[in-house]
Amino acid sequence: MYDEICAQAAQAAEELCEKARLKKGDIMVVGCSSSEVAGRRIGTDSNVDVAQAVFEGVYGVLKKHGVFLAAQCCEHLNRAIIVEREAAAGLEIVNAVPQKKAGGSFATTAYSRFSDPVTVEEIRADAGLDIGGTLIGMHLKKVAVPVRLSLDHIGMAILLAARTRPKYIGGERAVYDENMM
């Protein structure tokens, strides 16, 4: 079961990197309800083993592409973000360390696996994976665009993906650069 979850997470991350045209130094926010992945209701059964499987799948792909992972905490830490210190340049670091029941298993796993983890209140990511209805939108840059992946679930959790693009300014006569998207 964990190998399948890891493979699904890796596949989703790889597809999103490709479809969002992520490049080295970009940020992907991931919210993950390990409860939902395991077939339970969000927030009811935090599962470290499931979270580790998702983390392994996503993190391996992002490291390969040079993309930073921003792991979203649960509502008990106000959906704060765990990132490597290098990705937090210019952001206000806050004093919080996620735990299984306060932050969630996925954020706790990220905090324990990153080489120099910090917690920030918010971030503006270039793309994101919402695994199990974790509501990552608050951490995406404007303007978020839905991305259809070949998978619509990881384990039993609904999977949604998004990329961002620059705002259009100038009305209907505006010219935009397709390469920016």
Side-chain angles (χ1 to χ4, degrees):
M1 172 175 120
Y2 300 120
D3 289 341
E4 182 178 351
I5 290 168
C6 182
Q8 290 171 338
Q11 180 180 339
E14 188 67 53
E15 283 185 39
L16 185 54
C17 282
E18 179 184 322
K19 290 182 176 188
R21 299 183 196 162
L22 296 180
K23 58 191 177 313
K24 185 176 181 177
D26 283 348
I27 298 170
M28 182 187 294
V29 63
V30 175
C32 175
S33 169
S34 60
S35 301
E36 290 277 338
V37 173
R40 305 296 264 255
R41 191 171 52 86
I42 193 168
T44 62
D45 191 21
S46 193
N47 185 314
V48 173
D49 294 328
V50 166
Q52 288 175 347
V54 173
F55 179 86
E56 288 301 321
V58 170
Y59 193 59
V61 169
L62 298 186
K63 289 288 279 186
K64 176 180 78 174
H65 289 284
V67 172
F68 289 109
L69 170 60
Q72 179 179 274
C73 295
C74 74
E75 66 183 289
H76 297 105
L77 288 184
N78 300 321
R79 303 207 189 287
I81 295 290
I82 308 303
V83 291
E84 291 281 9
R85 186 176 303 275
E86 183 181 357
L91 301 175
E92 183 176 356
I93 294 172
V94 297
N95 189 13
V97 176
Q99 305 296 315
K100 179 179 173 183
K101 296 275 187 183
S105 290
F106 185 75
T108 301
T109 298
Y111 197 91
S112 71
R113 300 292 299 280
F114 286 166
S115 61
D116 190 12
V118 296
T119 305
V120 297
E121 273 189 287
E122 59 187 4
I123 202 160
R124 293 287 167 238
D126 303 287
L129 293 172
D130 183 321
I131 305 167
T134 58
L135 304 176
I136 62 165
M138 65 192 286
H139 294 299
L140 292 170
K141 290 178 182 173
K142 297 178 182 177
V143 171
V145 178
V147 174
R148 295 276 183 234
L149 303 177
S150 63
L151 297 173
D152 61 4
H153 282 76
I154 291 181
M156 300 298 293
I158 292 171
L159 172 65
L160 298 174
R163 65 173 176 83
T164 61
R165 65 155 175 82
K167 296 181 202 179
Y168 295 144
I169 303 295
E172 65 184 61
R173 294 184 180 189
V175 177
Y176 66 93
D177 182 350
E178 184 70 30
N179 293 320
M180 293 183 74
M181 305 204 314

